[in-house]
Every structure is written in C-alpha cells, then in structure tokens.
C-alpha cells in the first residue's frame, strides 16, 4: 500500500487538489473567493494554475472553473485572458518540447510506411493552415492540449510553425471562459 502511494503520489495529489477545489467552489461564492484571495493574487493563481497544467487532461477542468469563478467574482476577463493564456502557452510549450525529446530518446520508428506518409503530408501543408488548425484546437475546443502537442511532436512539426497560433489560441480560450464567467455574475 505504501509503495503504491509513493509510486503514484503526483496523481494522488492532483486528484486531491481537484477534489478540494471542487468542494471549495461549492461552499464559497465567487465574490468571497476573489475577496479572500485578492484581485491581484487572483491573476497570479490563474497564471500558476495554467502554467502547472492548465489544459492537461487532469487539471483542465479545475483551471477553467477557477477562471470562470474569478471573472464572476470581479476579476477583469481581459487580464485573466492574457495572464491565463500566457500560462497555458508556457505549459503547452514545455509539453511540446518534452514530447519532441521523447520522440528522440525513445527513437520512435520514423521508417514505418504509415509514419512516412504522415510526415510527407505534414511537410506539404502550408504553415498558415497548420496555424489555423492549432488555433482552432487550442482556442476553440475543450479538448486537452497535451494530445495535440504529442501529435505535433510525433509529426515533427517545427515549433516556429505553431508558436503564434498557440499564443493566440491560449489567450482566446481563457478570454472566452472568463467572459462567460463574468456573465454569470
């Protein structure tokens, strides 16, 4: 039992954090939460939640709940969008580079016929079209960004081809969430 706890402590902490955050959101109103944290600290908390894993599979829901709560409690949606978007961009960039390194370290077979076809197709797709896809996925979909970052790394897409769309999409999704949160007020 103790060995299992030690082995999976990060997952256990993440689940515990999400559960505590959900309970806190049930018993504390958005206005009280922003008042207790303070508006300036609200932006710091939003950035940290986003940078630690804003749109990962595990913590994305709690991040968006926090942004909506902060906005409904009086935080500025535009500032939340910029700061939270910067945190998501940072998190996704780190995840992309980790996925790229994993492809290199594990020497994922790039000689398979299927992967060669995919790489050939991706290399012919114009940068602007990849940018539109990345923006739509990151900025307009509720899907976790880590899946996209892994796929792009496996497809050997260069970071410079996605960086602007990644920034714009990250800011957009947080701005939309904050604006919807503010409308709840």
């Amino acid at each position: 039992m103790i060995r299992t706890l030690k082995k999976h402590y990060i997952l256990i902490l993440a689940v515990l954090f999400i559960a505590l955050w959900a309970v806190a959101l049930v018993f504390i109103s958005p206005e009280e939460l922003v008042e207790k944290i303070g508006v300036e600290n609200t932006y710091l908390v939003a950035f940290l939640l986003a940078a630690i894993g804003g749109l990962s599979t595990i913590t994305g829901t709690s991040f968006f709940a926090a942004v909506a709560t902060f906005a409904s409690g009086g935080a500025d949606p535009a500032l939340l969008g910029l700061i939270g978007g910067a945190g998501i961009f940072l998190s996704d960039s780190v995840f992309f580079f980790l996925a790229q390194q994993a492809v290199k370290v594990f020497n994922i077979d790039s000689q398979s016929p299927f992967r060669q076809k995919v790489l050939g197709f991706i290399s012919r797709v114009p940068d602007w079209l990849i940018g539109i896809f990345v923006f739509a996925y990151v900025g307009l979909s509720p899907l976790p960004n880590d899946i996209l970052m892994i796929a792009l790394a496996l497809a050997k897409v260069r970071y410079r081809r996605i960086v602007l769309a990644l920034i714009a999409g990250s800011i957009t999704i947080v701005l939309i969430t904050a604006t919807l949160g503010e409308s709840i007020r």
Side-chain angles (χ1 to χ4, degrees):
M1 175 74 173
I2 293 177
R3 182 181 288 164
T4 303
L5 290 175
K6 285 182 179 179
K7 188 175 182 181
H8 300 290
Y9 75 94
I10 297 217
L11 178 63
I12 293 168
L13 288 175
V15 170
L16 185 62
F17 172 76
I18 292 169
L20 289 174
W21 186 255
V23 169
L25 293 179
V26 169
F27 293 110
I28 301 172
S29 74
E31 291 84 9
E32 289 175 318
L33 185 63
V34 170
E35 187 179 305
K36 287 179 182 180
I37 294 175
V39 174
E40 290 79 18
N41 293 336
T42 299
Y43 302 117
L44 176 64
V45 169
F47 176 80
L48 292 174
L49 284 173
I52 291 170
L55 285 185
S56 77
T57 316
I58 298 172
T59 60
T61 306
S62 64
F63 169 70
F64 284 123
V67 167
T69 302
F70 294 157
S72 69
D76 181 25
L79 220 58
L80 279 171
L82 288 172
I83 293 169
I88 290 174
F89 169 72
L90 177 68
S91 175
D92 289 345
S93 295
V94 167
F95 206 89
F96 178 80
F97 288 119
L98 288 174
Q100 267 187 334
Q101 292 306 309
V103 168
K104 291 176 188 173
V105 168
F106 294 116
N107 197 17
I108 296 176
D109 183 23
S110 61
Q111 302 305 318
S112 73
F114 175 74
R115 184 133 190 258
Q116 286 299 324
K117 286 181 183 179
V118 170
L119 291 174
F121 173 77
I122 296 288
S123 67
R124 290 190 304 274
V125 175
D127 289 350
W128 64 269
L129 191 56
I130 288 179
I132 288 173
F133 175 76
V134 169
F135 173 79
Y137 186 97
V138 172
L140 303 174
S141 85
L143 302 171
N145 293 352
D146 49 358
I147 295 169
L148 177 65
M149 296 300 110
I150 291 170
L152 292 172
L154 284 171
K156 295 189 176 183
V157 172
R158 291 182 177 222
Y159 184 71
R160 64 180 167 82
R161 291 180 81 181
I162 63 167
V163 66
L164 293 177
L166 194 57
I167 292 170
S170 298
I171 292 171
T172 300
I173 192 71
V174 180
L175 185 59
I176 289 170
T177 303
T179 302
L180 290 173
E182 183 185 43
S183 69
I184 296 171
R185 224 189 310 176

